[in-house]
Amino acid sequence: MRRRGAAALAGAMVGAVLLATPGEAAVGPESGSVVEGGRAGTAPPDPAPGGPQRPYEPDVPGPANIDALSGEITRDGGTGKGVLVGFDRSSRAEPAGPPAAPRRFVFLFDRKLAFRPDAFPTCARKVAEAGGPEACPGDSQVGRGTSHLYPEGTADVYAFNTLHPNGTRGALVVIPANGTILELTWEKVTAPYRRLGYRWALDEIVPPSAVPPEQRVGTRRFELTWGATRRVGDRTVSFAWTSAQPGDGLRLGLWSEFVTGQVVLPQTRTELPPAAVRGARAS
């Protein structure tokens, strides 16, 4: 089932639709208070309510998570406009102890970022479940990162382009160390977030487990970079690309909901660096 009956929205989000160069004008940072809700004491609204519905779980008591986000946009070295989009989230509990576990993350991308999932192979969940990351087609990997566990330790994270059984495009986040596979869908953000300068989102659901919510532990840091290149015939194609110019600021956000019911929206801005290879053809 999809939130608010929006199946048609996500179902249309395929192929060339993701290629459209965003056209809305970004609203300045002063508008962030409307979405973030900090001064009003309200939670930031859901940026992708048309996505899949997580099974209901009641809120549980727990600590407040204090989250921060940094980001980095780098050239992917394959095409003139191709980029890698890095998210680096850190989290700590207030007053102390492990952060509360997540229910859902929504990666928010600046309006000047677009994606080509239609130009990359896909990996089905059953393939990743049966054989791990190695079983997925090589060119289907569109992201890589590291999960920093609490209180210590790390785990490798892999992201794969996927086509869900209902026909929607998205990604799989695979963490082999603990057997985790998370499903994400491409979503178009709601009007308040478009006014802030976002356009596309990857909506990630963390499903309930047999462990009671109050006993689940969140990560202290999570790094994930989206982007990849591949050869198609005689040309190179980038998974992520941008219409921004060198020096332009690009906004990234990570809407996050936890088992305590807390919702936060850390945001960051990063600049597009100069092209590493002059004269490369964009795809």
Side-chain angles (χ1 to χ4, degrees):
M1 297 180 63
R2 298 183 65 80
R3 286 185 289 273
R4 301 184 188 176
L9 171 64
M13 232 177 302
V14 297
V17 175
L18 288 177
L19 293 178
T21 301
E24 296 92 348
V27 176
E30 65 276 5
S31 297
S33 60
V34 175
V35 172
E36 292 171 14
R39 290 183 296 187
T42 58
D46 190 335
Q53 177 66 60
R54 184 183 189 273
Y56 172 77
E57 280 188 322
D59 297 344
V60 297
N65 282 9
I66 309 299
D67 279 26
L69 180 69
S70 61
E72 185 178 24
I73 308 290
T74 56
R75 302 285 181 170
D76 66 13
T79 66
K81 294 184 178 180
V83 292
L84 304 175
V85 184
F87 289 78
D88 187 347
R89 164 194 174 260
S90 61
S91 187
R92 63 179 177 85
E94 182 66 42
R103 286 175 176 159
R104 190 165 151 240
F105 292 118
V106 181
F107 295 87
L108 299 169
F109 299 94
D110 190 277
R111 67 188 182 91
K112 293 183 179 179
L113 293 168
F115 302 86
R116 287 291 309 266
D118 60 306
F120 283 71
T122 60
C123 183
R125 181 186 179 111
K126 63 182 181 181
V127 172
E129 286 179 331
E134 298 80 6
C136 291
D139 282 349
S140 67
Q141 185 174 338
V142 294
R144 180 72 185 268
T146 304
S147 177
H148 298 255
L149 311 177
Y150 181 90
E152 59 184 13
T154 61
D156 290 333
V157 178
Y158 303 87
F160 295 93
N161 191 35
T162 198
L163 190 65
H164 296 294
N166 64 358
T168 60
R169 289 197 178 272
L172 300 175
V173 167
V174 181
I175 309 175
N178 55 18
T180 295
I181 299 179
L182 302 176
E183 297 183 355
L184 296 79
T185 57
W186 283 108
E187 305 290 340
K188 209 169 186 178
V189 301
T190 55
Y193 291 85
R194 291 198 301 272
R195 289 194 291 269
L196 281 175
Y198 299 114
R199 185 175 180 91
W200 294 106
L202 272 171
D203 186 351
E204 175 182 277
I205 286 180
V206 182
S209 71
V211 178
E214 62 273 17
Q215 296 179 21
R216 299 173 200 159
V217 177
T219 55
R220 56 189 172 89
R221 186 181 178 191
F222 195 89
E223 301 170 89
L224 184 55
T225 296
W226 298 97
T229 62
R230 69 181 296 247
R231 295 290 293 178
V232 179
D234 63 350
R235 67 191 182 111
T236 300
V237 177
S238 292
F239 179 77
W241 63 273
T242 183
S243 60
Q245 298 301 311
D248 284 355
L250 297 168
R251 174 175 282 195
L252 302 174
L254 187 62
W255 186 93
S256 308
E257 181 184 14
F258 304 101
V259 294
T260 57
Q262 181 190 9
V263 176
V264 300
L265 177 60
Q267 299 183 83
T268 187
R269 283 185 181 272
T270 184
E271 290 188 356
L272 178 69
V277 179
R278 295 186 180 274
R281 184 175 65 171
S283 295

